[in-house]
C-alpha cells in the first residue's frame, strides 16, 4: 500500500488520540520515510561509485594495451558534455544548457568506444577481404599499404589475414562478449566487469593492429571500395594504376594527404571508365587547391584524369574545377566532435564541386547532424558493414552522382 494511503488510514484509526500523540506519530512516520529515501540514494550512489571505479580500471587497462587513444576520444566527449534544450515560459525558442554524463553513462560510452574500435574495424576488414576475392585476377598481393610521403614507415592491411569463415566466427564471439558486458552494467554487476573484459577481449586485442591511424586508413579504403561498387553498378570499367601509369601488384596509398605527382612511392589510384565519357581517377589522400588558392586535404577524391595527368606532368596541385567529388572520412570510436562538421563546412564552401563534398563517418552526433543538415551539406553517418541500410543509402547516393556525370557528358 502506498505510503500516503497508509498515513490516511492510520489517521482514521488514531483520530481519537491527543494532538501530542499524533504529532509524535507523524514525526516517526516522517523519519521512516526519510530513512527509506536515504537508503535508495545510498544504493544509487554506491552504484555510480562502482561505475567510476570500473571506468578508472578500464582506462588503466587500455593504457597498458597501448589503446589510450580510445580513452582519449571518450574523455573528449565527457569533458564537452551534452547540450540540453530547456523550454522557458513566455519564450518561443528553448534555452540551452550543458549537462554532464553520469558515471554509469561514462562507463557505457567507454564500452561502446571499445566495441567500435574492435568490432567495427573487424567487420570492415572482413568486407575488404571479400572485395579482394573479386580482385584476385588484378592484384598479385592482397596487401594494402599506407605510407607517409616523407617517411618509410608503413601501415599494412592484409586482405588475407584470416579466412572469411574464421573471421566471421571471431566477430560473432566478440559481439556476444560486448552484449554480455552491457547486460552486466545494466544489472549492476560491475565488480567482475574488468576481469570479464580482460579474460574475453584482451586475447583478441592486438595493440599493433588496433591503432588510431590504422583504423582511420581502414575506414578510408572501405569508403573507397564503396565508391567503386557504385561506379560498377553504373557500368564502369575499373582498374588500378600507380603514379607512373604502371599496373600495380599491390595497393599503396598515402597515409596523409600529399601531392598527386609524388613518386617517392608507387602510390596507387583507381581508374574509372564509362563508355564515351571523360575518364576519372579515384584517389586516397591528395591535396586540392581551393578557389582562394588555399590547399585542402582530401581523404578521398574523384577527379578528371586529364586534370590528374596535367598535375603529375607539371608538378601542380589539382584545382577544384578539375575535381568531381571528395569525401571527408571521420573514423571515431566515440561521438563525433562538432569541430569536425565546422571544418567540413569551410572545406565544402571553398571547393564548391559539381558532384559535391561528402561528410561520412562510422560514428554519429545529433549536433553534427543538425548543423550539416541545416547548412544543406551532403552527409551520412553510422556507415559500417553491419548497418546495411545506411551503407546502401550512401552507395546509391554515389551511384546517382555517376549517373548525373554520364548525363552531363
Amino acid at each position: 500500500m502506498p505510503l500516503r494511503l497508509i498515513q490516511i488510514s492510520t489517521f482514521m484509526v488514531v483520530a481519537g488520540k491527543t494532538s501530542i500523540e499524533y504529532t509524535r506519530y507523524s514525526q516517526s512516520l516522517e523519519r521512516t520515510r526519510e530513512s527509506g529515501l536515504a537508503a535508495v540514494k545510498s544504493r544509487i550512489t554506491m552504484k555510480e561509485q562502482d561505475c567510476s571505479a570500473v571506468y578508472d580500471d578500464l582506462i588503466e587497462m587500455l593504457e597498458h594495451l597501448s589503446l589510450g587513444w580510445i580513452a582519449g576520444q571518450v574523455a573528449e566527449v565527457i569533458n564537452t558534455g551534452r547540450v540540453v534544450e530547456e523550454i522557458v515560459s513566455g519564450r518561443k525558442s528553448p534555452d540551452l544548457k550543458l549537462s554532464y554524463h553520469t558515471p554509469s553513462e561514462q562507463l557505457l560510452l567507454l564500452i561502446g568506444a571499445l566495441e567500435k574500435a574492435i568490432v567495427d574495424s573487424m567487420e570492415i576488414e572482413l568486407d575488404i577481404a571479400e572485395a579482394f576475392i573479386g580482385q584476385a585476377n588484378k592484384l598479385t598481393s592482397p596487401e594494402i599499404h599506407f605510407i607517409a610521403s616523407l617517411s618509410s614507415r608503413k601501415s599494412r592491411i592484409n586482405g588475407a589475414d584470416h579466412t572469411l569463415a574464421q573471421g566471421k566466427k571471431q566477430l560473432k564471439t566478440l559481439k556476444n562478449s560486448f552484449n554480455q558486458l552491457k547486460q552486466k552494467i545494466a544489472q549492476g554487476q560491475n565488480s567482475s566487469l574488468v576481469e570479464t573484459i580482460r579474460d574475453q577481449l584482451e586475447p583478441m586485442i592486438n595493440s599493433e593492429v588496433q591503432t588510431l591511424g590504422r583504423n582511420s586508413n581502414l575506414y578510408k579504403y572501405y569508403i573507397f571500395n564503396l565508391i567503386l561498387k557504385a561506379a560498377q553498378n553504373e557500368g564502369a570499367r575499373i582498374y588500378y594504376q600507380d603514379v607512373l601509369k604502371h599496373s600495380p601488384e599491390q595497393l599503396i596509398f598515402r597515409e596523409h594527404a600529399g601531392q598527386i605527382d609524388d613518386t617517392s612511392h608507387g602510390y596507387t589510384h583507381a581508374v574509372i571508365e564509362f563508355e564515351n565519357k571523360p575518364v576519372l581517377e579515384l584517389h586516397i589522400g591528395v591535396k586540392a587547391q581551393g578557389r582562394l588558392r588555399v590547399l585542402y586535404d582530401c581523404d578521398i577524391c574523384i577527379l578528371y584524369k586529364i586534370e590528374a595527368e596535367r598535375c603529375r606532368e607539371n608538378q601542380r596541385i589539382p584545382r577544384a574545377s578539375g575535381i568531381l567529388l571528395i569525401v571527408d572520412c571521420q573514423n571515431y570510436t566515440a561521438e563525433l566532435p562538432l569541430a569536425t562538421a565546422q571544418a567540413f563546412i569551410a572545406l565544402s564552401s571553398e571547393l564548391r564541386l559539381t558532384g559535391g563534398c561528402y561528410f561520412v563517418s562510422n560514428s554519429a552526433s545529433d549536433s553534427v547532424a543538425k548543423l550539416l543538415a541545416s547548412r544543406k551539406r551532403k552527409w551520412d553517418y553510422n556507415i559500417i558493414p553491419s548497418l546495411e541500410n545506411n551503407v546502401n543509402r550512401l552507395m546509391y547516393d554515389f551511384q546517382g552522382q555517376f549517373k548525373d556525370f554520364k548525363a552531363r557528358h
Side-chain angles (χ1 to χ4, degrees):
M1 187 181 293
L3 184 61
R4 186 172 295 177
L5 292 179
I6 293 174
Q7 184 174 349
I8 293 172
S9 302
T10 309
F11 175 72
M12 293 173 65
V13 173
V14 298
K17 293 189 177 183
T18 65
S19 59
I20 296 176
E21 290 174 325
Y22 180 70
T23 301
R24 288 174 180 170
Y25 166 77
S26 299
Q27 290 172 346
S28 175
L29 194 62
E30 184 65 22
R31 284 195 297 271
T32 302
R33 185 180 69 84
E34 288 178 354
S35 64
L37 288 174
V40 172
K41 289 179 180 178
S42 175
R43 286 196 295 272
I44 294 173
T45 304
M46 285 300 294
K47 181 182 177 183
E48 295 299 320
Q49 288 176 348
D50 288 345
C51 288
S52 294
V54 174
Y55 180 91
D56 291 339
D57 289 342
L58 277 179
I59 293 292
E60 186 177 342
M61 188 190 86
L62 291 176
E63 294 288 352
H64 175 70
L65 293 172
S66 301
L67 296 175
W69 60 273
I70 299 175
Q73 291 189 350
V74 174
E76 185 178 351
V77 173
I78 293 172
N79 293 334
T80 302
R82 56 189 171 195
V83 177
V84 179
E85 294 185 354
E86 190 175 64
I87 303 298
V88 179
S89 178
R91 303 189 67 170
K92 292 183 179 180
S93 59
D95 284 346
L96 301 180
K97 66 177 185 179
L98 276 178
S99 174
Y100 293 95
H101 299 87
T102 64
S104 57
E105 290 172 338
Q106 293 178 21
L107 181 57
L108 285 171
L109 282 173
L110 187 58
I111 295 294
L114 188 58
E115 182 176 12
K116 269 194 169 298
I118 299 174
V119 174
D120 287 5
S121 63
M122 182 173 286
E123 283 186 341
I124 290 172
E125 201 153 4
L126 286 172
D127 189 89
I128 289 173
E130 288 182 321
F132 264 110
I133 292 175
Q135 297 169 352
N137 60 333
K138 302 175 184 177
L139 301 168
T140 58
S141 171
E143 292 184 349
I144 309 167
H145 295 276
F146 282 83
I147 308 177
S149 298
L150 301 177
S151 171
S152 59
R153 182 175 59 85
K154 295 182 180 181
S155 173
R156 182 178 66 89
I157 299 170
N158 194 331
D161 274 342
H162 309 283
T163 65
L164 289 177
Q166 289 174 336
K168 288 177 180 178
K169 183 178 180 180
Q170 190 178 24
L171 181 61
K172 185 177 180 180
T173 302
L174 278 171
K175 286 185 175 181
N176 290 336
S177 297
F178 277 107
N179 287 335
Q180 290 172 11
L181 290 175
K182 292 173 185 175
Q183 289 176 2
K184 283 179 177 287
I185 295 173
Q187 296 167 2
Q189 301 174 11
N190 296 331
S191 58
S192 61
L193 201 58
V194 178
E195 289 77 9
T196 302
I197 294 176
R198 187 173 287 115
D199 294 342
Q200 296 185 10
L201 300 183
E202 190 171 346
M204 299 183 184
I205 295 175
N206 185 343
S207 59
E208 294 182 1
V209 171
Q210 268 109 18
T211 64
L212 176 59
R214 185 181 186 278
N215 280 10
S216 296
N217 293 335
L218 195 67
Y219 194 67
K220 290 174 191 175
Y221 184 71
Y222 171 65
I223 301 300
F224 180 94
N225 256 350
L226 198 63
I227 294 173
L228 292 183
K229 288 179 184 177
Q232 286 176 323
N233 288 346
E234 281 298 307
R237 172 176 173 258
I238 292 170
Y239 57 94
Y240 293 101
Q241 282 187 340
D242 62 21
V243 67
L244 299 176
K245 298 184 180 180
H246 298 151
S247 297
E249 295 183 353
Q250 59 187 13
L251 301 181
I252 301 175
F253 299 106
R254 297 171 185 82
E255 189 166 28
H256 307 290
Q259 292 183 222
I260 196 171
D261 60 286
D262 184 4
T263 57
S264 60
H265 302 283
Y267 292 119
T268 317
H269 59 267
V271 180
I272 301 173
E273 290 184 353
F274 293 102
E275 188 175 0
N276 299 323
K277 307 297 177 185
V279 182
L280 301 172
E281 290 186 2
L282 177 61
H283 289 258
I284 292 180
V286 295
K287 290 186 177 291
Q289 179 180 328
R291 297 180 186 273
L292 297 176
R293 295 189 297 279
V294 175
L295 298 186
Y296 288 91
D297 294 349
C298 302
D299 291 333
I300 296 176
C301 174
I302 302 178
L303 65 162
Y304 292 89
K305 189 173 183 64
I306 189 171
E307 171 71 5
E309 290 182 341
R310 182 189 71 83
C311 292
R312 282 192 288 264
E313 290 171 3
N314 300 312
Q315 299 180 338
R316 298 289 184 267
I317 301 295
R319 295 173 181 266
S321 57
I323 299 174
L324 175 66
L325 177 151
I326 69 165
V327 182
D328 185 12
C329 299
Q330 296 291 338
N331 183 76
Y332 271 80
T333 59
E335 186 177 287
L336 281 171
L338 187 60
T340 57
Q342 293 167 335
F344 174 74
I345 288 172
L347 167 69
S348 56
S349 299
E350 170 69 2
L351 294 181
R352 301 178 189 175
L353 306 179
T354 304
C357 301
Y358 283 78
F359 181 97
V360 177
S361 178
N362 68 321
S363 186
S365 164
D366 291 341
S367 297
V368 167
K370 188 174 185 179
L371 179 59
L372 294 177
S374 64
R375 296 298 179 88
K376 298 181 180 179
R377 295 305 194 268
K378 293 180 171 67
W379 61 278
D380 218 329
Y381 60 37
N382 286 332
I383 303 299
I384 53 176
S386 59
L387 300 178
E388 291 184 14
N389 182 63
N390 295 0
V391 174
N392 289 336
R393 181 178 61 214
L394 179 62
M395 185 181 68
Y396 294 144
D397 202 338
F398 290 144
Q399 191 171 332
Q401 292 293 341
F402 288 121
K403 177 193 66 145
D404 291 345
F405 163 78
K406 292 191 296 181
R408 286 193 300 269
H409 296 279

